[in-house]
Amino acid sequence: MAKRTRSTTSPAARLEPYRAKRDFTVTSEPAGTAPPPPDGHRFVVQRHRASHLHYDLRLEAAGVLLSWAVPKGPTLDPDVKRLAVHVEDHPLDYFDFEGVIPATEYGGGDVVVWDWGTWEIADDADPIGAVETGSIHFDLHGEKLRGRFALVRRGPIGQREQWILIHKHDDASVAGWQTEDHPRSVKSGRTNDEVASAPSAR
Ligand code: MN
């Protein structure tokens, strides 16, 4: 049995590290104070141009978005391993966040909703328990990302754990698939540059 210590922690408690890093009077990011709806299975990947470009992969589970920052982004190429840094859980209303985070704020930069859809964990595992054990296998049903992925912890347990993200060899894998060939938002069709120049336009 996987350890269940953190699965019993409330979404509000899990989101304390997220809130502690942000000033919600300055940033337009959600504070995550709305009560979470019944457990869903959405996923989102945001293309985030902060001090360094990265892609944020978020999986909905237990009333929060489990989150990894992937510097080079996810790929459908099954022969490519991508570093994925485990970061703090995000609130569910971050799911469709697209806009500009002020430069003075944590993560300052522009964000587009690069992909979204639903996800399913493999083998009926408990998502929180799988993350605690350092290995989570799942299928994505997005507009760009499809098929079976695995995230596996590769370094010490603690803050900003280093994990590896891979796409398994399956019907959805595509040799040579380049993340940066598909830059536009699935929410608005915009690029990061377009969001940066008109953050509130839709
Ligand atoms: Mn980010």
Side-chain angles (χ1 to χ4, degrees):
M1 279 293 287
K3 279 194 302 177
R4 292 297 196 107
T5 32
R6 273 198 286 161
S7 25
T8 54
T9 307
S10 71
R14 292 186 65 102
L15 291 173
E16 279 169 15
Y18 170 87
R19 292 199 186 99
K21 290 181 176 176
R22 291 167 174 81
D23 179 351
F24 297 105
T25 64
V26 178
T27 184
S28 59
E29 295 168 286
T33 45
D39 198 23
H41 297 90
R42 295 173 298 171
F43 88 90
V44 64
V45 177
Q46 281 144 329
R47 187 174 187 275
H48 183 185
R49 285 195 309 187
S51 50
H52 299 282
L53 170 67
H54 61 275
Y55 291 71
D56 291 298
L57 167 63
R58 311 189 195 282
L59 305 175
E60 180 176 13
V64 298
L65 297 172
L66 307 172
S67 297
W68 288 261
V70 185
K72 293 186 175 176
T75 176
L76 299 178
D77 189 333
D79 296 320
V80 171
K81 294 188 172 85
R82 290 279 159 87
L83 171 68
V85 179
H86 191 205
V87 297
E88 74 273 19
D89 296 340
H90 276 52
L92 291 187
D93 44 7
Y94 213 97
F95 172 74
D96 64 348
F97 175 77
E98 182 167 293
V100 174
I101 301 169
T104 54
E105 278 294 285
Y106 179 77
D110 42 74
V111 177
V112 302
V113 177
W114 183 80
D115 198 17
W116 58 12
T118 59
W119 75 288
E120 288 173 78
I121 196 161
D123 306 322
D124 276 334
D126 165 53
I128 305 297
V131 171
E132 286 174 356
T133 60
S135 176
I136 180 167
H137 293 236
F138 53 96
D139 291 300
L140 295 183
H141 309 283
E143 298 187 24
K144 297 173 185 172
L145 300 178
R146 297 194 167 266
R148 174 66 55 89
F149 289 79
L151 269 166
V152 180
R153 188 164 52 217
R154 283 288 190 243
I157 296 174
Q159 298 273 311
R160 300 187 67 78
E161 292 170 357
Q162 298 208 353
W163 294 51
I164 296 294
L165 174 67
I166 59 157
H167 193 293
K168 297 286 194 176
H169 287 267
D170 63 15
D171 290 347
S173 54
V174 180
W177 197 88
Q178 298 292 323
T179 310
E180 286 286 300
D181 287 350
H182 310 268
R184 287 185 180 275
S185 168
V186 293
K187 178 180 180 182
S188 66
R190 297 183 296 170
T191 62
N192 280 76
D193 277 339
E194 288 164 354
V195 168
S197 61
S200 58
R202 285 291 181 269

